[in-house]
Amino acid sequence: MTALNQKNLHGILAAITSVSKNFIVPKQGNWWNPQEANGARPNNWLAYGMQHKQSTLPFYHTADDGRTTGAAVQMESTINLQFVGPDSEDLAQSVALWYLRTDVKKEFAACGGSLLPGSADPTPSTFYQDGLNTVTAWNVSIRVLWYKVIETEQSKVLTINTGGQINVR
């Protein structure tokens, strides 16, 4: 099972949004600003960030054959999206419909995840890139529940035949 991380989230967003894959970037300061691209400027672009929170204690994950193969923990991730461009408000509003889209469900299911119901209300903000431009960005957050599986290749401990009695003192 694939983990939900920054790299995989980039691929998911590229598959489910109309934003070009090249203009889906991690949200961080001093990052390349697509609006300042020499030549062809993108119509819209998307910045994203993600925070994880462990929602259960780790537990053993058992394969179909009954052998213990690893450990799992249930995670809840908040994904913050920031759309910038002339269609940014419409793109942010469309996130509210992701719960109904089978392609979105399929992409998150590959990470053992599912969108949690809740508010996906877009909020406008002024986007500043080191003070060089002031455009309106539209921000929206979603939550995803997923399982992080760590393959440990553990198996059940075999019984030991001592051929006699064990004396405990």
Side-chain angles (χ1 to χ4, degrees):
M1 186 179 317
T2 306
L4 181 59
N5 56 31
Q6 294 282 349
K7 180 181 177 185
N8 295 331
L9 180 58
H10 180 270
I12 290 170
L13 294 173
I16 64 178
T17 67
S18 61
V19 178
S20 170
K21 182 178 181 177
N22 296 333
F23 299 113
I24 299 174
V25 296
K27 186 177 180 180
Q28 57 186 3
N30 297 324
W31 187 258
W32 171 70
N33 182 356
Q35 290 185 314
E36 296 175 355
N38 293 331
R41 287 176 54 175
N43 194 31
N44 298 290
W45 64 281
L46 168 60
Y48 62 93
M50 181 170 37
Q51 297 86 36
H52 304 295
K53 179 176 76 173
Q54 183 175 318
S55 60
T56 64
L57 290 173
F59 54 91
Y60 287 110
H61 169 71
T62 305
D64 292 337
D65 64 4
R67 292 183 17 212
T68 303
T69 58
V73 65
Q74 188 178 42
M75 305 291 287
E76 183 179 323
S77 297
T78 300
I79 300 170
N80 301 306
L81 306 172
Q82 184 175 61
F83 295 93
V84 180
D87 302 323
S88 59
E89 183 176 7
D90 292 336
L91 289 167
Q93 288 176 350
S94 74
V95 173
L97 303 174
W98 284 7
Y99 303 97
L100 303 175
R101 291 179 41 190
T102 55
D103 61 332
V104 173
K105 292 177 185 178
K106 178 183 169 192
E107 291 295 327
F108 283 108
C111 297
S114 178
L115 288 176
L116 289 173
S119 175
D121 297 330
T123 306
S125 67
T126 303
F127 173 76
Y128 294 100
Q129 182 74 20
D130 299 328
L132 299 177
N133 57 329
T134 55
V135 297
T136 300
W138 285 87
N139 307 286
V140 64
S141 295
I142 58 171
R143 294 177 315 137
V144 178
L145 193 65
W146 60 285
Y147 285 93
K148 180 177 184 177
V149 177
I150 301 169
E151 298 298 333
T152 60
E153 297 183 16
Q154 295 181 15
S155 60
K156 290 183 178 179
V157 177
L158 300 175
T159 57
I160 300 172
N161 185 355
T162 61
Q165 292 182 334
I166 297 177
N167 297 324
V168 180
R169 295 182 189 185

